[in-house]
Amino acid sequence: MRINTRLIGGPMDYTPGIFEMDIQKINPKNTSHVNSTLANQLALYVTMYSPLQMAADLPENYERFIDAFQFIKDVAVDWDSSLYLEAEPGEYLTIARKSKGKNEWFVGNVSGEKGHESILDFGFLTTGKKYEATIYADAPDAHYKTNPQAYVIKKLKINNKSKLKQRSAPGGGFAIRIVEL
């Protein structure tokens, strides 16, 4: 019997944030493909805990998607609280994390090959406070194989009674930054 002991001693260095999924564009001899959408890559900053985060792609790839890169600039690396909102092994995972020392939250969702539709309940937010959520999500036509760089960014006003239905494409996800107004 094999026992998985990965991360038992603490967090590891993980390198999310790949915006160019077709590796052949960088190295013509390498036909590899990153099997995720751009929104999924943003969500990994929340779903994979590591206080040693980095931006793992080439600067010119970030320049092409500078509005999405804003999430990488904003996301915290250490947390006061982590809440696991939903999970099905091999299918999807949604986590909310509160920034260390701030009233700022981040939510990340990563989904497998089938995609997923989440119904988020923001009951973890402080009662009586108002927030702005910036959502970085898969576009309706996003797919990890055929259209991995299709994403949308929208802003919503929310509070602790708000609910949000959010779709993740196959191999996709979403990342949300929540700041108090």
Side-chain angles (χ1 to χ4, degrees):
M1 182 168 149
R2 185 177 210 175
I3 297 174
N4 185 350
T5 58
R6 184 176 175 160
L7 302 177
I8 199 166
M12 69 175 193
D13 180 24
Y14 186 72
T15 52
I18 303 298
F19 282 14
E20 179 54 67
M21 310 311 168
D22 183 358
I23 305 305
Q24 197 167 23
K25 289 181 180 176
I26 299 164
N27 179 356
K29 294 180 182 179
N30 185 339
T31 59
S32 297
H33 188 269
V34 178
N35 290 325
S36 78
T37 65
L38 190 147
N40 175 290
Q41 288 291 309
L42 295 177
L44 290 172
Y45 285 92
V46 180
T47 61
M48 296 291 293
Y49 174 68
S50 178
L52 300 171
Q53 293 289 19
M54 64 175 283
D57 209 335
L58 299 172
E60 52 267 30
N61 291 331
Y62 293 130
E63 289 169 2
R64 290 174 36 218
F65 305 102
I66 200 69
D67 56 346
F69 185 68
Q70 186 63 46
F71 184 83
I72 295 174
K73 291 168 52 176
D74 292 337
V75 71
V77 296
D78 205 3
W79 315 100
D80 280 337
S81 179
S82 297
L83 304 172
Y84 294 77
L85 304 180
E86 60 177 355
E88 181 63 39
E91 299 295 330
Y92 57 86
L93 170 68
T94 307
I95 297 176
R97 298 189 194 267
K98 184 180 177 296
S99 296
K100 190 167 195 81
K102 293 182 178 179
N103 193 13
E104 175 181 53
W105 285 85
F106 292 87
V107 177
N109 165 276
V110 292
S111 295
E113 290 183 280
K114 296 177 191 171
H116 180 66
E117 185 169 271
S118 298
I119 299 179
L120 299 174
D121 180 334
F122 293 103
F124 56 85
L125 298 174
T126 304
T127 302
K129 304 259 182 180
K130 294 180 182 179
Y131 297 86
E132 181 177 73
T134 304
I135 303 164
Y136 301 79
D138 293 319
D141 60 341
H143 190 284
Y144 77 97
K145 284 184 182 176
T146 59
N147 200 10
Q149 295 167 326
Y151 65 94
V152 294
I153 301 172
K154 61 184 176 182
K155 293 185 182 228
L156 300 173
K157 304 291 188 242
I158 62 170
N159 60 39
N160 74 315
K161 295 178 183 171
S162 299
K163 295 196 183 329
L164 172 69
K165 185 188 291 188
Q166 185 62 56
R167 176 192 161 273
S168 293
F174 56 83
I176 305 173
R177 179 182 185 216
I178 303 168
V179 295
E180 187 178 343
L181 292 174

